[in-house]
């Protein structure tokens, strides 16, 4: 929200305080999500990407740790897409997009073209990553698992992942179909835009079944407020200047 320097010479950023937890932590602590809740999160991520892509920005590092389930205005499971640290614009000079040969992203969630042609990625790379996040939310594991980052990336480039329903048979077929299409190795075979992906997810039978009341009850059962206050207290105790402790 702001940045500057105090009269004591301390540089600062003023940032939004988010109560809640990232989706990687949420799944690690609670297990795979029911399909309606996963769709609830993913459609919101698609909405954020729709705006980013409209402005010519590709995120390039969408993963569970960068999607945050928060609370805003009394609404629980309000989703924030975080960490645009690897973002790049699609309207820059192709010769200055990225250092040739440099792979940017997170193995297991980055698109195959980020591995093979990192200078040429477009919005469809983010579509792939969102599908990988959806896969993780529904199954509790990423689409690819290997002993090393290199092996993971080789699998991504050469092999389609197992269908989510082979891990959890109860995953709805209409949701699975969207995920599988968006995890295609060839970007031409994926859903073309974040808007289209969101629209198709919203037409799934389970869309809308995760209600505000469901979300509020889940966080009440899992101590959302206590967890947030504890995290803030720990941050302050680890050494933030007293100027900011209020």
């Amino acid at each position: 929200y702001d940045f500057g320097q105090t009269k004591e010479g301390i540089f600062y950023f003023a940032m939004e305080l988010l109560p809640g937890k990232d989706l990687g932590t949420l799944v690690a602590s609670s297990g795979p999500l029911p399909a309606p809740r996963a769709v609830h999160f993913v459609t919101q991520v698609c909405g954020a990407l729709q705006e980013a892509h409209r402005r010519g920005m590709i995120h390039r590092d969408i993963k569970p740790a960068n999607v945050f389930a928060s609370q805003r205005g009394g609404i629980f499971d309000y989703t924030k897409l975080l960490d645009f640290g690897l973002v790049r614009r699609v309207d820059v000079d192709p010769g200055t997009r990225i250092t040739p040969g440099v792979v940017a992203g997170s193995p297991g969630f980055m698109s195959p073209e980020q591995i093979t042609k990192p200078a040429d990625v477009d919005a469809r790379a983010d579509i792939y990553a969102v599908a990988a996040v959806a896969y993780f939310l529904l199954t509790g594991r990423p689409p690819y698992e290997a002993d090393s980052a290199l092996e993971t990336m080789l699998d991504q480039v050469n092999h389609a992942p197992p269908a989510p329903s082979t891990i959890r048979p109860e995953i709805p077929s209409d949701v699975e179909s969207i995920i599988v299409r968006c995890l295609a190795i060839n970007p031409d075979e994926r859903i073309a835009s974040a808007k289209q992906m969101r629209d198709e997810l919203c037409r799934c039978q389970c869309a809308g079944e995760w209600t505000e009341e469901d979300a509020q009850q889940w966080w009440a059962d899992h101590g959302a407020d206590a967890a947030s206050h504890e995290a803030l207290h720990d941050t302050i105790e680890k050494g933030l200047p007293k100027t900011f402790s209020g």
Side-chain angles (χ1 to χ4, degrees):
Y1 291 136
D2 197 8
F3 64 94
Q5 185 177 14
T6 69
K7 60 184 178 182
E8 294 85 7
I10 300 170
F11 292 99
Y12 68 87
F13 287 109
M15 303 176 70
E16 182 180 14
L17 174 63
L18 296 176
K21 59 183 73 178
D22 69 78
L23 296 188
T25 300
L26 190 151
V27 170
S29 62
S30 303
L33 305 185
R37 192 180 190 193
V39 168
H40 174 79
F41 284 130
V42 174
T43 53
Q44 291 183 78
V45 174
C46 288
L49 279 179
Q50 184 179 344
E51 175 67 10
H53 292 168
R54 186 181 69 82
R55 294 172 177 265
M57 295 185 293
I58 303 171
H59 190 288
R60 296 198 303 165
D61 197 24
I62 299 167
K63 57 187 177 182
N66 285 342
V67 182
F68 203 86
S70 189
Q71 174 191 163
R72 183 174 184 180
I75 298 174
F76 291 81
D77 278 359
Y78 185 90
T79 310
K80 289 274 192 174
L81 178 59
L82 307 179
D83 195 356
F84 280 70
L86 291 182
V87 72
R88 77 162 177 83
R89 295 190 62 86
V90 295
D91 56 356
V92 297
D93 178 354
T96 61
R97 282 180 182 174
I98 188 169
T99 303
V102 173
V103 176
S106 298
F109 295 95
M110 63 199 295
S111 66
E113 62 268 27
Q114 284 177 258
I115 301 166
T116 59
K117 298 179 180 179
D120 297 327
V121 298
D122 57 26
R124 295 171 298 180
D126 284 346
I127 300 300
Y128 179 100
V130 174
V133 168
Y135 189 111
F136 173 85
L137 297 180
L138 290 166
T139 65
R141 49 155 282 185
Y144 298 89
E145 291 185 317
D147 293 334
S148 69
L150 178 59
E151 289 177 303
T152 298
M153 289 189 288
L154 287 172
D155 280 347
Q156 287 179 261
V157 170
N158 293 298
H159 307 290
S165 60
T166 63
I167 302 168
R168 290 185 71 212
E170 65 269 32
I171 294 172
S173 59
D174 52 0
V175 176
E176 177 176 74
S177 174
I178 294 170
I179 293 171
V180 169
R181 285 166 59 201
C182 292
L183 287 175
I185 295 173
N186 182 351
D188 291 336
E189 298 175 6
R190 297 176 204 150
I191 290 174
S193 70
K195 181 182 185 303
Q196 183 184 349
M197 186 178 186
R198 182 181 185 279
D199 289 347
E200 293 200 21
L201 285 168
C202 287
R203 289 195 291 268
C204 289
Q205 187 172 351
C206 69
E209 291 181 3
W210 184 257
T211 66
E212 290 183 16
E213 292 74 20
D214 291 331
Q216 185 172 359
Q217 186 60 54
W218 190 93
W219 285 102
D221 293 342
H222 292 79
D225 291 338
S228 300
H229 293 158
E230 181 180 350
L232 176 60
H233 180 269
D234 288 347
T235 300
I236 294 172
E237 288 298 311
K238 286 177 181 176
L240 282 180
K242 294 183 186 299
T243 310
F244 304 101
S245 63

